[in-house]
Amino acid sequence: MACGHTVLMRLVASAYAVAQKAGMIVRRVIAEGDLGIVEKTCATDLQTKADRLVQMSICSSLARKFPKLTIIGEEDLPPEEVDQELIEDGQWEEILKQPCPSQYSAIKEEDLVVWVDPLDGTKEYTEGLLDNVTVLIGIAYEGKAIAGVINQPYYNYQAGPDAVLGRTIWGVLGLGAFGFQLKEVPAGKHIITTTRSHSNQLVMDCVTAMNPDDVLRVGGAGNKIIQLIEGKASAYVFASPGCKKWDTCAPEVILHAVGEFIGPYYIWKEEALRNNWKHNDPISH
């Protein structure tokens, strides 16, 4: 590991490699045929074998390389020995070629908090809506989301049996967002993306009040943000409690990193815009 690289860029490069491995785990669990589904709080709040394995992989891999890091995962998992095959020690060298924004160059490992959603869109995953699924790794510093990685395990899965599956999007504030082609919604179109599984009257009223040309009801916060940056939707509306920091940390970074260059063109729930990204929860490894 080159000593000249900053802590932040080394962490993002490692998170990229870890996210790639996470995508492989997500696909492997489906291929093996046993999703290991359990209900956490209700029929729409599910956990699968992939959620559990991916969280163990991400948290354990990053903790081994960055022992002073605070890592918080969505799933409440009991402490256990992690199988070596879940550990990813690599890093994405292309990220290390990028300059670290000067405001983050002196950040210490112990000052960073990582928020992990191992399988965003779990319900859709169990229903075979695979394009809704993402893996989210967000990095926060001094109360602000500053870097993030989003893996889409099933990107390109509808392109046929020989298609290469998966892609990873990443971004750092002050540097930009990478791994996708930025597009805008067709001229004159106002398209809203919103929740598929957690709607209520307030959400429906807000969407209706915006008089959209079309409404896309899909799963996963990460998936909805990708719809924004790739021009499939012009706004993401979810006027309701429910999103947590592991849902919003990585996507918020990608949106703001894009917005630094083309200006904000999205609507995000008020809670997320005001979110306090400081560590206030137990560490989950």
Side-chain angles (χ1 to χ4, degrees):
M1 186 182 300
C3 62
H5 299 300
T6 64
V7 169
L8 178 62
M9 298 310 286
R10 287 193 290 110
L11 177 56
V12 176
S14 294
Y16 187 104
V18 170
Q20 297 269 60
K21 187 176 190 70
M24 294 173 59
I25 295 170
V26 170
R27 293 190 295 269
R28 187 185 74 199
V29 170
I30 282 269
E32 290 174 347
D34 178 14
L35 296 185
I37 302 169
V38 297
E39 288 188 13
K40 293 195 291 186
T41 60
C42 62
T44 59
D45 185 16
L46 305 177
Q47 182 193 89
T48 69
K49 181 179 179 180
D51 292 86
R52 298 185 287 273
L53 291 178
V54 168
Q55 179 160 308
M56 287 190 286
S57 175
I58 294 173
C59 294
S60 297
S61 296
L62 293 180
R64 288 193 184 191
K65 294 187 75 171
F66 303 92
K68 296 180 182 179
L69 202 63
T70 296
I71 306 172
I72 304 169
E74 176 181 3
E75 307 304 334
D76 184 14
L77 302 178
E80 62 179 283
E81 190 70 26
V82 176
D83 194 307
Q84 184 61 36
E85 71 171 11
L86 294 176
I87 301 300
E88 173 57 61
D89 293 322
Q91 57 189 7
W92 192 249
E93 296 296 330
E94 291 301 313
I95 291 176
L96 295 178
K97 296 177 183 178
Q98 298 285 343
C100 180
S102 58
Q103 65 268 36
Y104 305 134
S105 61
I107 286 179
K108 297 179 181 178
E109 186 177 312
E110 57 266 33
D111 295 330
L112 292 169
V113 180
V114 175
W115 295 90
V116 177
D117 190 338
L119 191 63
D120 185 43
T122 298
K123 188 171 187 296
E124 286 69 29
Y125 180 65
T126 66
E127 297 173 354
L129 300 173
L130 301 177
D131 53 339
N132 287 211
V133 174
T134 58
V135 175
L136 306 177
I137 305 175
I139 300 168
Y141 171 67
E142 291 189 341
K144 185 178 182 181
I146 63 167
V149 177
I150 301 176
N151 179 269
Q152 276 186 294
Y154 286 96
Y155 174 75
N156 212 30
Y157 86 109
Q158 293 175 324
D162 297 326
V164 177
L165 296 180
R167 68 169 170 176
T168 301
I169 294 168
W170 67 280
V172 177
L173 293 189
L175 180 62
F178 309 87
F180 63 95
Q181 184 175 355
L182 183 65
K183 297 180 182 177
E184 299 214 26
V185 175
K189 289 289 185 181
H190 186 44
I191 303 171
I192 302 298
T193 185
T194 190
T195 182
R196 172 179 175 267
S197 304
H198 304 284
S199 192
N200 56 39
Q201 192 60 49
L202 178 59
V203 171
M204 292 188 290
D205 289 345
C206 287
V207 170
T208 301
M210 298 183 71
N211 193 29
D213 296 303
D214 194 11
V215 179
L216 307 177
R217 301 186 186 279
V218 299
N223 178 41
K224 296 181 188 74
I225 266 54
I226 291 171
Q227 289 186 325
L228 294 183
I229 63 178
E230 294 194 324
K232 296 176 182 177
S234 45
Y236 170 11
V237 178
F238 185 48
S240 178
C243 283
K244 302 294 191 296
K245 295 176 184 179
W246 43 70
D247 293 308
T248 58
C249 189
E252 182 178 321
V253 170
I254 302 301
L255 282 176
H256 282 289
V258 168
E260 287 175 354
F261 298 100
I262 69 168
Y265 63 101
Y266 62 93
I267 296 176
W268 184 253
K269 59 174 291 187
E270 183 178 1
E271 176 189 347
L273 285 175
R274 299 183 312 185
N275 224 332
N276 173 13
W277 296 105
K278 292 179 180 177
H279 167 53
N280 58 5
D281 293 298
I283 297 176
S284 176
H285 281 180

Coordinates of all heavy atoms in Angstrom, one line a residue, residues 12 15-23 27 58 95 115-121 131-139 147-155 166-172 177-180 219-230 236 246-258 268:
V12 N -11.8 4.8 0.0 CA -12.7 4.7 -1.1 C -12.2 3.6 -2.1 O -13.1 2.8 -2.6 CB -12.8 6.0 -1.8 CG1 -13.7 5.9 -3.1 CG2 -13.4 7.1 -0.9
A15 N -13.2 0.4 -0.5 CA -14.6 0.2 -0.5 C -15.1 -0.2 -1.8 O -16.1 -1.0 -2.0 CB -15.3 1.5 0.0
Y16 N -14.5 0.3 -2.9 CA -14.8 -0.1 -4.2 C -14.6 -1.6 -4.5 O -15.5 -2.3 -5.0 CB -14.0 0.7 -5.2 CG -14.4 0.6 -6.7 CD1 -15.1 1.6 -7.4 CD2 -14.1 -0.6 -7.4 CE1 -15.5 1.4 -8.7 CE2 -14.4 -0.7 -8.7 CZ -15.1 0.3 -9.4 OH -15.5 0.1 -10.7
A17 N -13.4 -2.1 -4.1 CA -13.1 -3.5 -4.2 C -14.1 -4.3 -3.4 O -14.5 -5.4 -3.8 CB -11.7 -3.8 -3.9
V18 N -14.4 -3.9 -2.2 CA -15.3 -4.6 -1.3 C -16.7 -4.6 -1.9 O -17.4 -5.7 -1.8 CB -15.2 -4.0 0.1 CG1 -16.4 -4.5 1.0 CG2 -13.9 -4.2 0.8
A19 N -17.1 -3.5 -2.4 CA -18.4 -3.5 -3.1 C -18.5 -4.4 -4.2 O -19.6 -5.1 -4.5 CB -18.8 -2.1 -3.5
Q20 N -17.5 -4.5 -5.0 CA -17.4 -5.5 -6.1 C -17.6 -6.9 -5.6 O -18.4 -7.7 -6.2 CB -16.1 -5.4 -6.9 CG -15.8 -4.1 -7.5 CD -16.3 -4.0 -9.0 OE1 -17.5 -4.2 -9.2 NE2 -15.4 -3.8 -9.9
K21 N -16.9 -7.3 -4.5 CA -17.1 -8.6 -3.9 C -18.5 -8.8 -3.4 O -19.1 -9.9 -3.5 CB -16.1 -8.8 -2.8 CG -16.1 -10.2 -2.3 CD -15.0 -10.5 -1.2 CE -14.8 -11.9 -0.9 NZ -14.2 -12.7 -2.0
A22 N -19.1 -7.7 -2.8 CA -20.4 -7.8 -2.3 C -21.4 -8.1 -3.4 O -22.3 -9.0 -3.2 CB -20.8 -6.5 -1.6
G23 N -21.2 -7.5 -4.6 CA -22.1 -7.8 -5.7 C -22.0 -9.3 -6.1 O -23.0 -9.9 -6.4
R27 N -25.1 -12.1 -6.1 CA -25.5 -13.0 -7.2 C -25.4 -14.5 -6.8 O -26.2 -15.3 -7.3 CB -24.6 -12.6 -8.4 CG -24.9 -11.3 -9.0 CD -24.2 -11.1 -10.3 NE -22.7 -11.1 -10.2 CZ -22.0 -10.0 -10.0 NH1 -22.5 -8.8 -9.8 NH2 -20.6 -10.1 -9.9
I58 N -18.4 -6.7 4.0 CA -18.0 -5.3 4.0 C -17.3 -4.9 5.3 O -16.2 -4.3 5.3 CB -19.2 -4.4 3.6 CG1 -19.7 -4.7 2.2 CG2 -18.8 -3.0 3.8 CD1 -21.0 -4.0 1.8
I95 N -8.8 4.5 -8.6 CA -9.2 5.5 -7.6 C -8.0 6.2 -7.0 O -7.9 7.4 -6.8 CB -10.1 5.0 -6.5 CG1 -11.5 4.6 -7.2 CG2 -10.3 5.9 -5.4 CD1 -12.4 3.9 -6.2
W115 N -21.2 4.1 6.7 CA -22.5 3.6 6.8 C -22.8 2.5 5.7 O -22.6 2.8 4.6 CB -23.5 4.7 6.7 CG -23.4 5.7 7.8 CD1 -22.6 6.8 7.9 CD2 -24.1 5.7 9.1 NE1 -22.8 7.5 9.1 CE2 -23.7 6.8 9.8 CE3 -25.0 4.8 9.6 CZ2 -24.2 7.1 11.1 CZ3 -25.5 5.1 10.9 CH2 -25.1 6.2 11.6
V116 N -23.2 1.3 6.1 CA -23.3 0.2 5.2 C -24.8 -0.3 5.1 O -25.4 -0.7 6.1 CB -22.4 -0.9 5.6 CG1 -22.6 -2.1 4.7 CG2 -21.0 -0.5 5.7
D117 N -25.3 -0.2 3.9 CA -26.6 -1.0 3.6 C -26.2 -2.1 2.7 O -25.9 -1.9 1.5 CB -27.6 -0.1 2.9 CG -29.0 -0.7 2.8 OD1 -29.0 -2.0 2.9 OD2 -30.0 0.0 2.6
P118 N -26.1 -3.3 3.3 CA -25.6 -4.5 2.5 C -26.4 -4.9 1.3 O -25.9 -5.4 0.3 CB -25.5 -5.6 3.5 CG -26.5 -5.2 4.5 CD -26.5 -3.7 4.6
L119 N -27.7 -4.6 1.4 CA -28.6 -5.0 0.3 C -29.8 -4.0 0.3 O -30.8 -4.3 1.0 CB -29.1 -6.4 0.4 CG -29.8 -7.0 -0.8 CD1 -28.9 -7.1 -2.0 CD2 -30.4 -8.4 -0.5
D120 N -29.7 -3.0 -0.4 CA -30.7 -2.0 -0.5 C -31.7 -2.4 -1.6 O -31.4 -2.7 -2.7 CB -30.1 -0.6 -0.9 CG -31.1 0.5 -0.9 OD1 -31.9 0.6 0.0 OD2 -31.1 1.3 -1.9
G121 N -33.0 -2.6 -1.1 CA -34.0 -3.2 -2.0 C -34.2 -4.6 -1.7 O -34.4 -5.4 -2.7
D131 N -33.0 -5.4 -10.9 CA -32.5 -4.1 -11.2 C -32.7 -3.1 -10.1 O -32.1 -2.0 -10.2 CB -33.0 -3.6 -12.6 CG -34.5 -3.6 -12.6 OD1 -35.2 -4.4 -11.8 OD2 -35.1 -2.9 -13.5
N132 N -33.5 -3.4 -9.1 CA -33.8 -2.5 -8.0 C -32.7 -2.5 -6.9 O -32.7 -1.7 -6.1 CB -35.1 -2.8 -7.4 CG -36.3 -2.4 -8.2 OD1 -37.4 -2.0 -7.7 ND2 -36.2 -2.4 -9.5
V133 N -31.9 -3.6 -7.0 CA -31.0 -3.9 -5.9 C -29.7 -3.2 -6.0 O -29.0 -3.1 -7.0 CB -30.8 -5.4 -5.8 CG1 -29.7 -5.8 -4.8 CG2 -32.1 -6.2 -5.6
T134 N -29.2 -2.6 -4.9 CA -27.9 -2.0 -4.8 C -27.2 -2.4 -3.5 O -27.9 -2.7 -2.5 CB -27.9 -0.5 -4.9 OG1 -28.7 0.1 -3.9 CG2 -28.4 -0.1 -6.3
V135 N -25.9 -2.2 -3.4 CA -25.1 -2.3 -2.2 C -24.6 -0.9 -1.9 O -24.0 -0.3 -2.8 CB -23.9 -3.3 -2.3 CG1 -23.1 -3.3 -1.1 CG2 -24.5 -4.7 -2.6
L136 N -24.7 -0.4 -0.7 CA -24.4 1.0 -0.4 C -23.3 1.1 0.6 O -23.5 0.6 1.7 CB -25.6 1.8 0.0 CG -26.9 1.7 -0.9 CD1 -28.0 2.5 -0.2 CD2 -26.5 2.3 -2.3
I137 N -22.2 1.8 0.4 CA -21.2 2.1 1.3 C -21.0 3.6 1.3 O -20.4 4.2 0.4 CB -19.9 1.4 1.0 CG1 -20.1 -0.1 0.9 CG2 -18.8 1.7 2.1 CD1 -18.9 -0.9 0.4
G138 N -21.4 4.3 2.4 CA -21.2 5.7 2.5 C -20.2 6.1 3.5 O -20.0 5.4 4.6
I139 N -19.5 7.2 3.3 CA -18.4 7.6 4.2 C -18.7 9.1 4.7 O -18.9 9.9 3.8 CB -17.0 7.6 3.5 CG1 -16.7 6.1 3.0 CG2 -15.9 8.1 4.4 CD1 -15.5 6.0 2.1
A147 N -18.1 10.8 0.8 CA -17.7 9.9 -0.2 C -18.7 8.7 -0.2 O -19.2 8.4 0.9 CB -16.3 9.4 0.0
G148 N -18.8 8.0 -1.3 CA -19.8 6.9 -1.4 C -19.5 6.0 -2.5 O -18.9 6.4 -3.6
V149 N -19.9 4.7 -2.3 CA -19.8 3.7 -3.4 C -21.2 3.0 -3.5 O -21.8 2.6 -2.5 CB -18.7 2.7 -3.0 CG1 -18.7 1.6 -4.0 CG2 -17.3 3.4 -2.9
I150 N -21.6 2.8 -4.7 CA -22.9 2.1 -5.0 C -22.6 1.0 -6.0 O -22.1 1.3 -7.1 CB -24.0 3.0 -5.5 CG1 -24.3 4.2 -4.6 CG2 -25.2 2.2 -5.9 CD1 -25.3 5.2 -5.1
N151 N -22.8 -0.2 -5.6 CA -22.7 -1.4 -6.5 C -24.1 -1.8 -6.9 O -25.0 -2.0 -6.1 CB -21.9 -2.5 -5.8 CG -21.8 -3.7 -6.8 OD1 -22.7 -4.6 -6.8 ND2 -20.8 -3.7 -7.6
Q152 N -24.2 -2.1 -8.2 CA -25.4 -2.7 -8.8 C -25.1 -4.1 -9.2 O -24.5 -4.3 -10.3 CB -25.9 -1.9 -10.0 CG -26.8 -0.7 -9.7 CD -27.3 -0.1 -11.0 OE1 -26.5 0.4 -11.8 NE2 -28.6 -0.1 -11.2
P153 N -25.4 -5.1 -8.4 CA -25.0 -6.5 -8.7 C -25.6 -7.0 -10.0 O -25.0 -7.8 -10.7 CB -25.5 -7.3 -7.6 CG -25.7 -6.3 -6.4 CD -26.1 -5.0 -7.1
Y154 N -26.8 -6.5 -10.4 CA -27.5 -7.1 -11.6 C -27.6 -6.0 -12.7 O -28.4 -6.2 -13.6 CB -28.8 -7.6 -11.2 CG -28.7 -8.9 -10.4 CD1 -28.7 -8.9 -9.1 CD2 -28.6 -10.1 -11.1 CE1 -28.6 -10.1 -8.4 CE2 -28.4 -11.3 -10.5 CZ -28.4 -11.3 -9.1 OH -28.3 -12.5 -8.4
Y155 N -26.7 -5.0 -12.7 CA -26.7 -4.1 -13.8 C -26.4 -4.9 -15.1 O -25.5 -5.8 -15.2 CB -25.6 -3.1 -13.6 CG -25.4 -2.2 -14.8 CD1 -26.3 -1.2 -15.1 CD2 -24.3 -2.4 -15.7 CE1 -26.1 -0.4 -16.2 CE2 -24.1 -1.6 -16.8 CZ -25.0 -0.6 -17.1 OH -24.9 0.3 -18.2
G166 N -23.2 -6.4 -13.4 CA -22.7 -5.6 -12.3 C -21.9 -4.4 -12.7 O -21.2 -4.4 -13.8
R167 N -22.0 -3.4 -11.9 CA -21.1 -2.2 -12.1 C -21.1 -1.5 -10.7 O -21.9 -1.7 -9.8 CB -21.7 -1.2 -13.1 CG -23.0 -0.5 -12.8 CD -23.3 0.6 -13.7 NE -24.7 1.1 -13.5 CZ -25.2 2.1 -14.1 NH1 -24.5 2.7 -15.1 NH2 -26.4 2.5 -13.9
T168 N -20.0 -0.6 -10.6 CA -19.9 0.1 -9.3 C -19.7 1.6 -9.6 O -18.8 2.0 -10.5 CB -18.6 -0.4 -8.6 OG1 -18.8 -1.8 -8.3 CG2 -18.5 0.3 -7.2
I169 N -20.5 2.4 -9.0 CA -20.5 3.8 -9.1 C -19.8 4.4 -7.8 O -20.1 3.9 -6.7 CB -21.9 4.4 -9.2 CG1 -22.5 3.9 -10.6 CG2 -21.9 5.9 -9.1 CD1 -24.0 4.2 -10.7
W170 N -19.0 5.4 -7.9 CA -18.4 6.0 -6.7 C -18.2 7.5 -6.9 O -18.2 8.0 -8.0 CB -17.0 5.3 -6.5 CG -15.9 5.6 -7.5 CD1 -15.8 5.0 -8.7 CD2 -14.9 6.6 -7.4 NE1 -14.7 5.6 -9.4 CE2 -14.2 6.6 -8.6 CE3 -14.6 7.6 -6.4 CZ2 -13.1 7.4 -8.8 CZ3 -13.5 8.4 -6.6 CH2 -12.8 8.3 -7.8
G171 N -18.1 8.2 -5.8 CA -17.9 9.6 -5.8 C -17.3 10.2 -4.5 O -17.4 9.5 -3.5
V172 N -16.7 11.3 -4.7 CA -16.1 12.1 -3.5 C -16.5 13.5 -3.7 O -16.3 14.1 -4.9 CB -14.6 11.9 -3.5 CG1 -14.0 12.7 -2.3 CG2 -14.2 10.4 -3.3
A177 N -18.2 12.3 -9.5 CA -18.8 11.0 -9.4 C -18.5 10.2 -10.7 O -18.6 10.8 -11.8 CB -20.3 11.1 -9.2
F178 N -18.3 8.9 -10.6 CA -17.8 8.1 -11.7 C -18.4 6.8 -11.8 O -19.0 6.3 -10.8 CB -16.2 7.9 -11.5 CG -15.5 9.2 -11.2 CD1 -15.3 9.7 -9.9 CD2 -15.0 10.0 -12.3 CE1 -14.7 10.9 -9.7 CE2 -14.3 11.1 -12.1 CZ -14.1 11.6 -10.8
G179 N -18.3 6.2 -13.0 CA -18.9 4.8 -13.2 C -20.2 4.8 -13.9 O -20.8 3.7 -13.9
F180 N -20.7 5.9 -14.4 CA -21.9 5.9 -15.1 C -21.9 7.1 -16.1 O -21.0 7.9 -16.1 CB -23.1 6.2 -14.1 CG -23.0 7.6 -13.4 CD1 -23.6 8.7 -13.9 CD2 -22.1 7.7 -12.3 CE1 -23.5 9.9 -13.2 CE2 -22.0 8.9 -11.6 CZ -22.7 10.0 -12.1
G219 N -38.1 0.1 -6.0 CA -37.5 -0.2 -4.7 C -36.0 0.3 -4.7 O -35.4 0.5 -5.7
G220 N -35.6 0.6 -3.4 CA -34.2 0.9 -3.2 C -33.9 2.4 -3.4 O -34.1 2.9 -4.4
A221 N -33.3 3.0 -2.3 CA -32.9 4.4 -2.4 C -31.7 4.5 -3.4 O -31.7 5.5 -4.2 CB -32.4 4.9 -1.0
G222 N -30.8 3.6 -3.4 CA -29.7 3.6 -4.4 C -30.2 3.6 -5.8 O -29.7 4.3 -6.7
N223 N -31.1 2.7 -6.1 CA -31.7 2.6 -7.4 C -32.4 3.9 -7.8 O -32.2 4.3 -9.0 CB -32.7 1.4 -7.4 CG -33.4 1.2 -8.7 OD1 -32.8 1.3 -9.8 ND2 -34.7 1.0 -8.7
K224 N -33.1 4.5 -7.0 CA -33.8 5.8 -7.3 C -32.8 6.9 -7.7 O -33.0 7.7 -8.6 CB -34.7 6.2 -6.2 CG -35.9 5.2 -5.9 CD -36.8 5.7 -4.8 CE -37.8 4.7 -4.4 NZ -37.2 3.6 -3.6
I225 N -31.7 6.9 -6.9 CA -30.7 8.0 -7.2 C -30.0 7.7 -8.6 O -29.7 8.6 -9.3 CB -29.6 8.0 -6.1 CG1 -30.0 9.1 -5.0 CG2 -28.3 8.3 -6.6 CD1 -31.4 9.0 -4.5
I226 N -29.8 6.4 -8.9 CA -29.3 6.1 -10.2 C -30.3 6.5 -11.3 O -29.8 7.0 -12.4 CB -29.0 4.6 -10.3 CG1 -27.8 4.3 -9.4 CG2 -28.6 4.2 -11.7 CD1 -27.5 2.8 -9.2
Q227 N -31.6 6.4 -11.1 CA -32.5 6.9 -12.0 C -32.4 8.4 -12.3 O -32.6 8.8 -13.4 CB -34.0 6.5 -11.6 CG -34.3 5.1 -11.6 CD -35.8 4.8 -11.3 OE1 -36.3 5.5 -10.4 NE2 -36.4 3.9 -11.9
L228 N -32.1 9.1 -11.2 CA -31.9 10.6 -11.4 C -30.7 10.9 -12.2 O -30.8 11.7 -13.2 CB -31.8 11.2 -10.0 CG -33.0 11.2 -9.1 CD1 -32.6 12.0 -7.8 CD2 -34.2 11.8 -9.7
I229 N -29.6 10.3 -11.9 CA -28.3 10.7 -12.6 C -28.3 10.2 -14.0 O -27.5 10.7 -14.8 CB -27.1 10.2 -11.8 CG1 -27.0 8.7 -11.7 CG2 -27.0 10.9 -10.4 CD1 -25.8 8.2 -10.9
E230 N -29.1 9.2 -14.3 CA -29.1 8.6 -15.7 C -30.3 9.1 -16.5 O -30.6 8.6 -17.6 CB -29.0 7.1 -15.6 CG -27.7 6.6 -15.1 CD -27.4 5.1 -15.3 OE1 -28.4 4.3 -15.3 OE2 -26.3 4.8 -15.6
Y236 N -36.9 12.6 -7.0 CA -37.1 11.5 -6.1 C -37.9 12.1 -5.0 O -37.4 12.9 -4.2 CB -35.8 10.9 -5.7 CG -35.8 9.8 -4.6 CD1 -37.0 9.3 -4.1 CD2 -34.6 9.4 -4.0 CE1 -37.0 8.3 -3.1 CE2 -34.6 8.5 -3.0 CZ -35.8 7.9 -2.5 OH -35.8 7.0 -1.5
W246 N -27.8 4.7 6.6 CA -27.1 3.7 5.6 C -27.9 3.7 4.3 O -27.3 3.3 3.3 CB -27.1 2.3 6.2 CG -28.4 1.9 6.9 CD1 -29.6 1.6 6.3 CD2 -28.6 1.7 8.3 NE1 -30.5 1.3 7.3 CE2 -29.9 1.4 8.5 CE3 -27.7 1.8 9.4 CZ2 -30.5 1.1 9.8 CZ3 -28.3 1.6 10.7 CH2 -29.6 1.2 10.9
D247 N -29.1 4.2 4.2 CA -29.8 4.3 3.0 C -29.3 5.5 2.2 O -29.3 5.5 1.0 CB -31.3 4.5 3.2 CG -32.0 3.3 3.8 OD1 -31.9 2.2 3.2 OD2 -32.7 3.5 4.8
T248 N -29.0 6.6 2.9 CA -28.9 7.9 2.2 C -27.4 8.4 2.1 O -27.2 9.3 1.3 CB -29.7 9.0 3.0 OG1 -29.3 9.0 4.4 CG2 -31.2 8.7 2.9
C249 N -26.5 7.9 2.9 CA -25.2 8.4 2.9 C -24.5 8.4 1.6 O -24.1 9.4 1.0 CB -24.3 7.7 4.0 SG -22.7 8.5 4.3
A250 N -24.3 7.2 1.0 CA -23.7 7.0 -0.3 C -24.5 7.7 -1.4 O -23.9 8.4 -2.2 CB -23.5 5.5 -0.6
P251 N -25.8 7.5 -1.5 CA -26.5 8.2 -2.6 C -26.4 9.7 -2.5 O -26.3 10.4 -3.5 CB -28.0 7.7 -2.4 CG -27.8 6.4 -1.7 CD -26.6 6.6 -0.8
E252 N -26.4 10.3 -1.3 CA -26.3 11.7 -1.1 C -25.0 12.3 -1.7 O -25.0 13.3 -2.4 CB -26.4 12.1 0.3 CG -26.4 13.6 0.6 CD -26.6 14.0 2.0 OE1 -27.4 13.4 2.7 OE2 -25.9 14.9 2.5
V253 N -24.0 11.5 -1.5 CA -22.7 11.9 -2.0 C -22.7 12.0 -3.6 O -22.2 12.9 -4.2 CB -21.5 11.0 -1.5 CG1 -20.2 11.3 -2.3 CG2 -21.3 11.2 -0.1
I254 N -23.2 10.9 -4.2 CA -23.3 10.9 -5.6 C -24.1 12.0 -6.2 O -23.6 12.7 -7.1 CB -23.9 9.5 -6.1 CG1 -23.1 8.3 -5.6 CG2 -23.9 9.5 -7.6 CD1 -21.6 8.3 -6.0
L255 N -25.2 12.3 -5.6 CA -26.0 13.5 -6.0 C -25.3 14.8 -5.9 O -25.3 15.6 -6.8 CB -27.3 13.5 -5.3 CG -28.4 12.5 -5.7 CD1 -29.6 12.6 -4.8 CD2 -28.8 12.8 -7.1
H256 N -24.7 15.0 -4.7 CA -24.0 16.3 -4.5 C -22.7 16.4 -5.4 O -22.4 17.5 -5.9 CB -23.6 16.5 -3.1 CG -24.8 16.9 -2.2 ND1 -25.3 18.2 -2.3 CD2 -25.5 16.2 -1.3 CE1 -26.3 18.3 -1.4 NE2 -26.4 17.1 -0.8
A257 N -22.0 15.3 -5.6 CA -20.9 15.3 -6.5 C -21.2 15.6 -7.9 O -20.5 16.3 -8.6 CB -20.1 13.9 -6.4
V258 N -22.4 15.1 -8.4 CA -22.9 15.4 -9.7 C -23.3 16.9 -9.7 O -23.0 17.7 -10.6 CB -24.0 14.5 -10.1 CG1 -24.8 15.0 -11.3 CG2 -23.5 13.1 -10.3
W268 N -35.1 15.6 -2.6 CA -34.8 14.5 -1.7 C -35.6 14.8 -0.4 O -35.9 16.0 -0.1 CB -33.3 14.6 -1.4 CG -32.8 13.5 -0.5 CD1 -32.4 13.6 0.8 CD2 -32.6 12.1 -0.9 NE1 -32.0 12.4 1.2 CE2 -32.1 11.4 0.2 CE3 -32.8 11.3 -2.0 CZ2 -31.8 10.1 0.3 CZ3 -32.5 10.0 -2.0 CH2 -32.0 9.4 -0.9

